[in-house]
Amino acid sequence: MSPTPAYINLANEIFSYLDRGNTGILVPETLSQFLDDMGYAPKDNYWKNGSMANLTVTNPSLQVLAERDHALNLIFSAFSVEHHLLPRPSAGLTPTMPAVTRKGFIDLTSMEILTEPTPQWGYFVQLLRRYNLPSYQRWGELPRSVLPPIPQQAMVDRIANAVAAFTQKANAEKAQVTQAQKELADLRQAQVNTMMGAQIAHQATLESIRQRAFMTTLNSINFQP
């Protein structure tokens, strides 16, 4: 099921409201603020919950931002949400920050509506009231009949399959990270063992030299009867 013209118009209004610079994309922080404004709990904000950091932290580190960006990019890729990868300011030139396009935003929110129409209706009522968009000024409160009465099973199945694929990929990446960390720890331990072995051998060599020097000194002494 494709989004209706009425919903596309509404989603376009919301996107334009969020895209104050008319860039045609929303960076993760802006998308996250949209989810907050919708009334999503922090644990359901799919950018914030992309890292193990405190969900309410107001000034995340570059490491936390990288984890959240990576997780959001996996979600966009799993659900075929149109986006661009951009360099994150102050984090180098590598494009790792996923920025959703207008089309991607419409598709993403449409999928959520088709999966959970009743909760999404409540979120949109709150959002339109907060943003006071032209559509809200025209319609007032969003009628429940605007959204589907029940979840669309085809979309529910698609989401479930995508979530399974996303989870599998995330677990595989986690296993790779764990293996890499183990290999790094083993390498460091081997380096420590090598250094300790070298130090012990060096001390043994010094001790052997001292012993030979001592014996040479003793042998060179001319004892008187």
Side-chain angles (χ1 to χ4, degrees):
M1 179 184 294
S2 301
T4 64
Y7 177 72
I8 291 176
N9 289 337
L10 173 61
N12 272 319
E13 280 193 23
I14 295 172
F15 188 94
S16 296
Y17 176 88
L18 296 169
D19 183 21
R20 302 297 178 89
N22 195 29
T23 61
I25 56 173
L26 301 180
V27 298
E29 286 85 345
T30 304
L31 180 62
S32 176
Q33 185 60 56
F34 161 74
L35 297 175
D36 288 344
D37 293 341
M38 288 273 279
Y40 278 54
K43 66 180 180 62
D44 297 323
N45 184 311
Y46 41 78
W47 181 66
K48 289 182 178 179
N49 66 18
S51 74
M52 300 302 293
N54 189 323
L55 294 174
T56 59
V57 63
T58 57
N59 188 26
S61 66
L62 288 178
Q63 177 63 33
V64 171
L65 290 174
E67 291 172 357
R68 291 178 176 181
D69 287 349
H70 179 66
L72 185 61
N73 185 43
L74 288 180
I75 292 173
F76 286 168
S77 299
F79 294 104
S80 301
V81 174
E82 185 179 88
H83 65 287
H84 301 304
L85 288 179
L86 306 176
R88 176 168 284 282
S90 75
L93 299 178
T94 304
T96 57
M97 180 177 67
V100 67
T101 64
R102 183 180 293 269
K103 179 182 182 302
F105 178 79
I106 293 173
D107 290 343
L108 180 64
T109 53
S110 297
M111 285 189 289
E112 293 178 315
I113 287 173
L114 292 175
T115 306
E116 298 180 320
T118 297
Q120 289 297 316
W121 170 73
Y123 291 147
F124 272 97
V125 167
Q126 174 172 303
L127 184 81
L128 295 178
R129 190 181 300 151
R130 178 189 295 269
Y131 287 179
N132 195 29
L133 299 174
S135 56
Y136 177 75
Q137 297 172 17
R138 291 194 305 269
W139 300 339
E141 296 293 336
L142 184 69
R144 175 63 183 86
S145 59
V146 170
L147 302 186
I150 60 174
Q152 185 194 67
Q153 190 58 47
M155 184 58 70
V156 172
D157 293 342
R158 179 187 173 191
I159 297 296
N161 291 335
V163 167
F166 170 80
T167 302
Q168 183 178 14
K169 185 173 183 179
N171 288 340
E173 289 189 353
K174 183 179 180 180
Q176 290 177 350
V177 170
T178 300
Q179 180 62 27
Q181 290 174 336
K182 180 180 182 302
E183 291 175 357
L184 179 59
D186 291 344
L187 177 60
R188 287 174 176 169
Q189 186 60 52
Q191 291 174 335
V192 170
N193 293 341
T194 299
M195 291 176 61
M196 291 180 61
Q199 185 177 10
I200 291 172
H202 179 65
Q203 291 175 342
T205 299
L206 290 178
E207 183 62 27
S208 176
I209 292 172
R210 293 192 189 99
Q211 288 290 341
R212 289 200 300 271
F214 177 71
M215 294 303 298
T216 300
T217 302
L218 286 180
N219 293 334
S220 66
I221 297 175
N222 183 17
F223 290 97
Q224 298 297 325

Short mmCIF file of all heavy atoms in Angstrom, two decimals, residues 49-105:
data_model
loop_
_atom_site.label_atom_id
_atom_site.label_comp_id
_atom_site.label_asym_id
_atom_site.label_seq_id
_atom_site.Cartn_x
_atom_site.Cartn_y
_atom_site.Cartn_z
N ASN A 49 18.71 5.04 20.78
CA ASN A 49 18.96 3.72 21.35
C ASN A 49 19.96 2.91 20.54
O ASN A 49 20.12 1.71 20.74
CB ASN A 49 17.65 2.93 21.51
CG ASN A 49 16.99 2.59 20.19
OD1 ASN A 49 17.61 2.63 19.13
ND2 ASN A 49 15.71 2.24 20.24
N GLY A 50 20.66 3.60 19.62
CA GLY A 50 21.66 2.91 18.81
C GLY A 50 22.99 2.71 19.51
O GLY A 50 23.91 2.14 18.94
N SER A 51 23.12 3.19 20.75
CA SER A 51 24.35 2.99 21.50
C SER A 51 23.99 2.56 22.91
O SER A 51 22.85 2.63 23.33
CB SER A 51 25.18 4.29 21.55
OG SER A 51 24.60 5.21 22.45
N MET A 52 25.01 2.13 23.65
CA MET A 52 24.80 1.69 25.03
C MET A 52 24.84 2.85 26.01
O MET A 52 24.69 2.66 27.21
CB MET A 52 25.88 0.65 25.41
CG MET A 52 25.90 -0.59 24.54
SD MET A 52 24.31 -1.45 24.56
CE MET A 52 24.30 -2.01 26.27
N ALA A 53 25.03 4.06 25.50
CA ALA A 53 25.13 5.23 26.37
C ALA A 53 23.77 5.57 26.97
O ALA A 53 22.72 5.11 26.50
CB ALA A 53 25.67 6.42 25.59
N ASN A 54 23.80 6.41 28.00
CA ASN A 54 22.56 6.90 28.60
C ASN A 54 21.69 7.55 27.54
O ASN A 54 22.14 8.42 26.79
CB ASN A 54 22.92 7.91 29.71
CG ASN A 54 21.70 8.30 30.53
OD1 ASN A 54 20.59 8.43 30.01
ND2 ASN A 54 21.89 8.47 31.82
N LEU A 55 20.43 7.13 27.44
CA LEU A 55 19.54 7.62 26.38
C LEU A 55 19.24 9.10 26.51
O LEU A 55 18.85 9.75 25.54
CB LEU A 55 18.23 6.83 26.40
CG LEU A 55 18.35 5.35 26.05
CD1 LEU A 55 17.01 4.65 26.25
CD2 LEU A 55 18.82 5.15 24.63
N THR A 56 19.39 9.65 27.70
CA THR A 56 19.03 11.06 27.91
C THR A 56 20.25 11.97 27.93
O THR A 56 20.12 13.15 28.24
CB THR A 56 18.27 11.21 29.25
OG1 THR A 56 19.09 10.75 30.33
CG2 THR A 56 16.97 10.42 29.23
N VAL A 57 21.42 11.44 27.58
CA VAL A 57 22.62 12.27 27.59
C VAL A 57 22.45 13.40 26.57
O VAL A 57 21.96 13.20 25.46
CB VAL A 57 23.88 11.44 27.27
CG1 VAL A 57 23.81 10.85 25.87
CG2 VAL A 57 25.14 12.27 27.44
N THR A 58 22.78 14.63 26.98
CA THR A 58 22.54 15.80 26.13
C THR A 58 23.74 16.17 25.27
O THR A 58 23.60 16.91 24.30
CB THR A 58 22.16 17.01 27.00
OG1 THR A 58 23.20 17.24 27.96
CG2 THR A 58 20.84 16.75 27.72
N ASN A 59 24.91 15.69 25.63
CA ASN A 59 26.11 16.03 24.87
C ASN A 59 26.93 14.77 24.62
O ASN A 59 27.99 14.57 25.21
CB ASN A 59 26.94 17.06 25.63
CG ASN A 59 28.09 17.61 24.80
OD1 ASN A 59 28.02 17.62 23.57
ND2 ASN A 59 29.15 18.04 25.46
N PRO A 60 26.43 13.88 23.72
CA PRO A 60 27.11 12.59 23.51
C PRO A 60 28.50 12.77 22.92
O PRO A 60 28.75 13.70 22.16
CB PRO A 60 26.17 11.86 22.54
CG PRO A 60 25.41 12.94 21.86
CD PRO A 60 25.25 14.03 22.87
N SER A 61 29.38 11.86 23.27
CA SER A 61 30.74 11.88 22.75
C SER A 61 30.74 11.46 21.28
O SER A 61 29.75 10.93 20.76
CB SER A 61 31.62 10.93 23.56
OG SER A 61 31.20 9.59 23.36
N LEU A 62 31.87 11.66 20.62
CA LEU A 62 31.98 11.24 19.23
C LEU A 62 31.81 9.74 19.09
O LEU A 62 31.27 9.25 18.09
CB LEU A 62 33.33 11.69 18.66
CG LEU A 62 33.51 13.19 18.40
CD1 LEU A 62 34.92 13.47 17.88
CD2 LEU A 62 32.47 13.68 17.39
N GLN A 63 32.27 8.99 20.08
CA GLN A 63 32.11 7.54 20.05
C GLN A 63 30.64 7.15 20.09
O GLN A 63 30.18 6.28 19.34
CB GLN A 63 32.87 6.90 21.22
CG GLN A 63 32.70 5.38 21.32
CD GLN A 63 33.25 4.65 20.12
OE1 GLN A 63 34.23 5.09 19.54
NE2 GLN A 63 32.62 3.54 19.74
N VAL A 64 29.88 7.80 20.97
CA VAL A 64 28.44 7.52 21.07
C VAL A 64 27.74 7.93 19.77
O VAL A 64 26.88 7.20 19.26
CB VAL A 64 27.83 8.26 22.27
CG1 VAL A 64 26.29 8.17 22.25
CG2 VAL A 64 28.37 7.69 23.57
N LEU A 65 28.09 9.08 19.23
CA LEU A 65 27.50 9.53 17.97
C LEU A 65 27.79 8.53 16.85
O LEU A 65 26.90 8.23 16.03
CB LEU A 65 28.04 10.91 17.59
CG LEU A 65 27.60 12.09 18.46
CD1 LEU A 65 28.34 13.36 18.05
CD2 LEU A 65 26.10 12.31 18.36
N ALA A 66 29.01 8.02 16.82
CA ALA A 66 29.38 7.04 15.79
C ALA A 66 28.55 5.77 15.92
O ALA A 66 28.09 5.20 14.92
CB ALA A 66 30.87 6.73 15.88
N GLU A 67 28.33 5.31 17.16
CA GLU A 67 27.53 4.11 17.39
C GLU A 67 26.08 4.34 16.96
O GLU A 67 25.47 3.48 16.31
CB GLU A 67 27.59 3.72 18.88
CG GLU A 67 28.95 3.22 19.33
CD GLU A 67 29.02 3.04 20.83
OE1 GLU A 67 28.01 3.35 21.52
OE2 GLU A 67 30.06 2.58 21.34
N ARG A 68 25.54 5.50 17.29
CA ARG A 68 24.16 5.79 16.93
C ARG A 68 24.01 5.94 15.42
O ARG A 68 23.04 5.44 14.83
CB ARG A 68 23.71 7.08 17.63
CG ARG A 68 23.57 6.93 19.14
CD ARG A 68 23.15 8.25 19.78
NE ARG A 68 22.91 8.10 21.20
CZ ARG A 68 22.53 9.08 22.01
NH1 ARG A 68 22.37 10.30 21.53
NH2 ARG A 68 22.32 8.86 23.29
N ASP A 69 24.95 6.62 14.78
CA ASP A 69 24.90 6.78 13.33
C ASP A 69 24.97 5.43 12.63
O ASP A 69 24.25 5.17 11.65
CB ASP A 69 26.05 7.66 12.85
CG ASP A 69 25.84 9.14 13.19
OD1 ASP A 69 24.73 9.50 13.62
OD2 ASP A 69 26.81 9.92 13.04
N HIS A 70 25.85 4.57 13.11
CA HIS A 70 26.02 3.25 12.50
C HIS A 70 24.72 2.44 12.62
O HIS A 70 24.27 1.82 11.63
CB HIS A 70 27.17 2.51 13.17
CG HIS A 70 27.39 1.12 12.62
ND1 HIS A 70 27.80 0.89 11.32
CD2 HIS A 70 27.22 -0.10 13.19
CE1 HIS A 70 27.90 -0.41 11.12
NE2 HIS A 70 27.54 -1.03 12.22
N ALA A 71 24.12 2.45 13.79
CA ALA A 71 22.87 1.70 14.00
C ALA A 71 21.75 2.26 13.12
O ALA A 71 20.97 1.50 12.54
CB ALA A 71 22.48 1.74 15.47
N LEU A 72 21.66 3.59 13.02
CA LEU A 72 20.61 4.20 12.20
C LEU A 72 20.82 3.87 10.72
O LEU A 72 19.86 3.61 10.00
CB LEU A 72 20.60 5.71 12.40
CG LEU A 72 19.48 6.48 11.69
CD1 LEU A 72 18.10 6.01 12.17
CD2 LEU A 72 19.62 7.98 11.93
N ASN A 73 22.06 3.85 10.29
CA ASN A 73 22.36 3.49 8.90
C ASN A 73 21.94 2.05 8.61
O ASN A 73 21.41 1.74 7.53
CB ASN A 73 23.85 3.68 8.61
CG ASN A 73 24.19 3.42 7.16
OD1 ASN A 73 23.47 3.84 6.26
ND2 ASN A 73 25.28 2.71 6.93
N LEU A 74 22.15 1.16 9.57
CA LEU A 74 21.72 -0.23 9.41
C LEU A 74 20.20 -0.31 9.27
O LEU A 74 19.67 -1.08 8.46
CB LEU A 74 22.18 -1.08 10.60
CG LEU A 74 23.67 -1.40 10.71
CD1 LEU A 74 23.93 -2.24 11.95
CD2 LEU A 74 24.16 -2.13 9.47
N ILE A 75 19.49 0.49 10.07
CA ILE A 75 18.02 0.50 10.00
C ILE A 75 17.56 1.01 8.65
O ILE A 75 16.70 0.41 7.99
CB ILE A 75 17.44 1.37 11.14
CG1 ILE A 75 17.69 0.70 12.50
CG2 ILE A 75 15.95 1.60 10.93
CD1 ILE A 75 17.31 1.57 13.67
N PHE A 76 18.11 2.13 8.20
CA PHE A 76 17.73 2.68 6.90
C PHE A 76 17.99 1.66 5.79
O PHE A 76 17.18 1.51 4.87
CB PHE A 76 18.52 3.96 6.62
CG PHE A 76 18.06 5.16 7.41
CD1 PHE A 76 18.82 6.32 7.45
CD2 PHE A 76 16.86 5.14 8.11
CE1 PHE A 76 18.40 7.43 8.16
CE2 PHE A 76 16.43 6.25 8.83
CZ PHE A 76 17.21 7.40 8.86
N SER A 77 19.13 1.00 5.86
CA SER A 77 19.48 0.02 4.83
C SER A 77 18.55 -1.19 4.87
O SER A 77 18.11 -1.69 3.83
CB SER A 77 20.94 -0.43 4.99
OG SER A 77 21.83 0.67 4.85
N ALA A 78 18.24 -1.65 6.09
CA ALA A 78 17.37 -2.83 6.24
C ALA A 78 15.96 -2.57 5.69
O ALA A 78 15.33 -3.47 5.13
CB ALA A 78 17.30 -3.25 7.71
N PHE A 79 15.47 -1.34 5.85
CA PHE A 79 14.12 -1.01 5.42
C PHE A 79 14.08 -0.25 4.09
O PHE A 79 13.04 0.26 3.70
CB PHE A 79 13.41 -0.20 6.50
CG PHE A 79 13.17 -0.96 7.76
CD1 PHE A 79 13.96 -0.75 8.88
CD2 PHE A 79 12.17 -1.91 7.84
CE1 PHE A 79 13.76 -1.47 10.05
CE2 PHE A 79 11.95 -2.63 9.00
CZ PHE A 79 12.74 -2.41 10.11
N SER A 80 15.23 -0.19 3.41
CA SER A 80 15.32 0.49 2.10
C SER A 80 14.82 1.93 2.17
O SER A 80 14.08 2.39 1.29
CB SER A 80 14.54 -0.30 1.04
OG SER A 80 15.02 -1.61 0.91
N VAL A 81 15.21 2.64 3.23
CA VAL A 81 14.84 4.04 3.41
C VAL A 81 15.89 4.91 2.72
O VAL A 81 17.08 4.81 3.03
CB VAL A 81 14.75 4.40 4.90
CG1 VAL A 81 14.51 5.89 5.10
CG2 VAL A 81 13.63 3.59 5.56
N GLU A 82 15.47 5.74 1.81
CA GLU A 82 16.41 6.57 1.05
C GLU A 82 17.13 7.55 1.99
O GLU A 82 16.49 8.27 2.76
CB GLU A 82 15.67 7.34 -0.04
CG GLU A 82 16.59 8.13 -0.95
CD GLU A 82 15.85 8.86 -2.05
OE1 GLU A 82 15.42 10.02 -1.80
OE2 GLU A 82 15.67 8.28 -3.14
N HIS A 83 18.45 7.57 1.87
CA HIS A 83 19.24 8.46 2.73
C HIS A 83 20.60 8.68 2.07
O HIS A 83 20.96 7.99 1.12
CB HIS A 83 19.42 7.86 4.13
CG HIS A 83 20.21 6.59 4.15
ND1 HIS A 83 19.70 5.39 3.71
CD2 HIS A 83 21.49 6.33 4.55
CE1 HIS A 83 20.61 4.43 3.83
NE2 HIS A 83 21.71 4.98 4.34
N HIS A 84 21.34 9.64 2.61
CA HIS A 84 22.70 9.91 2.16
C HIS A 84 23.63 9.79 3.36
O HIS A 84 23.25 10.13 4.49
CB HIS A 84 22.82 11.31 1.56
CG HIS A 84 21.94 11.56 0.39
ND1 HIS A 84 21.96 10.76 -0.74
CD2 HIS A 84 20.99 12.50 0.16
CE1 HIS A 84 21.08 11.21 -1.62
NE2 HIS A 84 20.47 12.25 -1.10
N LEU A 85 24.85 9.32 3.09
CA LEU A 85 25.88 9.29 4.13
C LEU A 85 26.74 10.54 4.00
O LEU A 85 27.31 10.78 2.94
CB LEU A 85 26.74 8.03 4.02
CG LEU A 85 26.08 6.71 4.42
CD1 LEU A 85 27.03 5.56 4.22
CD2 LEU A 85 25.59 6.77 5.87
N LEU A 86 26.83 11.29 5.08
CA LEU A 86 27.57 12.54 5.08
C LEU A 86 28.66 12.49 6.16
O LEU A 86 28.52 11.76 7.15
CB LEU A 86 26.64 13.72 5.37
CG LEU A 86 25.41 13.87 4.46
CD1 LEU A 86 24.55 15.03 4.96
CD2 LEU A 86 25.84 14.08 3.03
N PRO A 87 29.72 13.27 6.00
CA PRO A 87 30.70 13.38 7.09
C PRO A 87 30.06 14.09 8.29
O PRO A 87 29.33 15.07 8.11
CB PRO A 87 31.82 14.23 6.48
CG PRO A 87 31.61 14.18 5.01
CD PRO A 87 30.13 14.02 4.80
N ARG A 88 30.31 13.57 9.46
CA ARG A 88 29.82 14.25 10.66
C ARG A 88 30.79 15.37 11.03
O ARG A 88 31.99 15.14 11.13
CB ARG A 88 29.67 13.27 11.83
CG ARG A 88 29.26 13.94 13.13
CD ARG A 88 28.85 12.95 14.19
NE ARG A 88 27.53 12.40 13.93
CZ ARG A 88 26.40 13.03 14.19
NH1 ARG A 88 26.44 14.25 14.69
NH2 ARG A 88 25.24 12.46 13.96
N PRO A 89 30.29 16.59 11.22
CA PRO A 89 31.18 17.70 11.59
C PRO A 89 32.04 17.36 12.81
O PRO A 89 31.55 16.76 13.76
CB PRO A 89 30.19 18.84 11.91
CG PRO A 89 28.98 18.51 11.10
CD PRO A 89 28.89 17.00 11.10
N SER A 90 33.29 17.73 12.73
CA SER A 90 34.29 17.53 13.80
C SER A 90 34.67 16.07 13.99
O SER A 90 35.39 15.74 14.93
CB SER A 90 33.79 18.10 15.14
OG SER A 90 32.80 17.27 15.73
N ALA A 91 34.20 15.19 13.10
CA ALA A 91 34.54 13.76 13.26
C ALA A 91 35.29 13.22 12.05
O ALA A 91 35.33 12.02 11.84
CB ALA A 91 33.27 12.95 13.50
N GLY A 92 35.89 14.09 11.25
CA GLY A 92 36.65 13.63 10.10
C GLY A 92 35.86 13.74 8.81
O GLY A 92 34.72 14.19 8.78
N LEU A 93 36.48 13.29 7.73
CA LEU A 93 35.89 13.43 6.40
C LEU A 93 35.17 12.19 5.92
O LEU A 93 34.55 12.20 4.87
CB LEU A 93 36.99 13.80 5.39
CG LEU A 93 37.74 15.11 5.66
CD1 LEU A 93 38.83 15.32 4.62
CD2 LEU A 93 36.76 16.29 5.66
N THR A 94 35.25 11.10 6.67
CA THR A 94 34.58 9.86 6.24
C THR A 94 33.06 10.02 6.35
O THR A 94 32.55 10.39 7.41
CB THR A 94 35.03 8.68 7.12
OG1 THR A 94 36.45 8.57 7.07
CG2 THR A 94 34.41 7.39 6.63
N PRO A 95 32.31 9.74 5.27
CA PRO A 95 30.85 9.88 5.32
C PRO A 95 30.20 8.72 6.07
O PRO A 95 30.02 7.63 5.53
CB PRO A 95 30.45 9.88 3.83
CG PRO A 95 31.52 9.11 3.15
CD PRO A 95 32.79 9.36 3.93
N THR A 96 29.85 8.95 7.32
CA THR A 96 29.24 7.90 8.15
C THR A 96 27.93 8.33 8.79
O THR A 96 27.28 7.53 9.46
CB THR A 96 30.21 7.49 9.28
OG1 THR A 96 30.54 8.65 10.05
CG2 THR A 96 31.49 6.89 8.71
N MET A 97 27.52 9.58 8.59
CA MET A 97 26.30 10.09 9.23
C MET A 97 25.12 9.95 8.26
O MET A 97 25.09 10.58 7.21
CB MET A 97 26.48 11.56 9.62
CG MET A 97 25.25 12.16 10.30
SD MET A 97 25.53 13.89 10.83
CE MET A 97 25.71 14.71 9.23
N PRO A 98 24.12 9.11 8.59
CA PRO A 98 22.99 8.90 7.69
C PRO A 98 21.97 10.04 7.80
O PRO A 98 21.46 10.33 8.87
CB PRO A 98 22.39 7.59 8.17
CG PRO A 98 22.71 7.54 9.63
CD PRO A 98 24.03 8.27 9.79
N ALA A 99 21.70 10.70 6.67
CA ALA A 99 20.73 11.79 6.63
C ALA A 99 19.58 11.36 5.72
O ALA A 99 19.79 11.07 4.54
CB ALA A 99 21.38 13.07 6.11
N VAL A 100 18.38 11.31 6.27
CA VAL A 100 17.22 10.82 5.52
C VAL A 100 16.72 11.89 4.55
O VAL A 100 16.72 13.08 4.87
CB VAL A 100 16.10 10.37 6.48
CG1 VAL A 100 15.50 11.54 7.25
CG2 VAL A 100 15.03 9.59 5.75
N THR A 101 16.33 11.47 3.35
CA THR A 101 15.79 12.39 2.37
C THR A 101 14.30 12.61 2.61
O THR A 101 13.68 11.94 3.44
CB THR A 101 15.99 11.85 0.94
OG1 THR A 101 15.22 10.64 0.81
CG2 THR A 101 17.46 11.55 0.67
N ARG A 102 13.72 13.51 1.85
CA ARG A 102 12.27 13.75 1.96
C ARG A 102 11.50 12.46 1.63
O ARG A 102 10.57 12.09 2.35
CB ARG A 102 11.86 14.89 1.03
CG ARG A 102 10.39 15.28 1.10
CD ARG A 102 10.09 16.40 0.15
NE ARG A 102 10.74 17.65 0.53
CZ ARG A 102 10.17 18.58 1.32
NH1 ARG A 102 8.95 18.39 1.80
NH2 ARG A 102 10.83 19.70 1.60
N LYS A 103 11.88 11.81 0.53
CA LYS A 103 11.22 10.55 0.16
C LYS A 103 11.41 9.50 1.24
O LYS A 103 10.46 8.77 1.60
CB LYS A 103 11.78 10.04 -1.17
CG LYS A 103 11.15 8.73 -1.63
CD LYS A 103 11.76 8.24 -2.93
CE LYS A 103 11.09 6.96 -3.41
NZ LYS A 103 11.17 5.86 -2.44
N GLY A 104 12.64 9.41 1.76
CA GLY A 104 12.90 8.43 2.81
C GLY A 104 12.07 8.69 4.05
O GLY A 104 11.57 7.77 4.70
N PHE A 105 11.91 9.98 4.41
CA PHE A 105 11.11 10.36 5.57
C PHE A 105 9.65 9.95 5.38
O PHE A 105 9.03 9.40 6.30
CB PHE A 105 11.22 11.87 5.80
CG PHE A 105 10.40 12.38 6.94
CD1 PHE A 105 10.84 12.24 8.24
CD2 PHE A 105 9.18 13.01 6.70
CE1 PHE A 105 10.08 12.73 9.31
CE2 PHE A 105 8.42 13.50 7.76
CZ PHE A 105 8.87 13.35 9.06
#
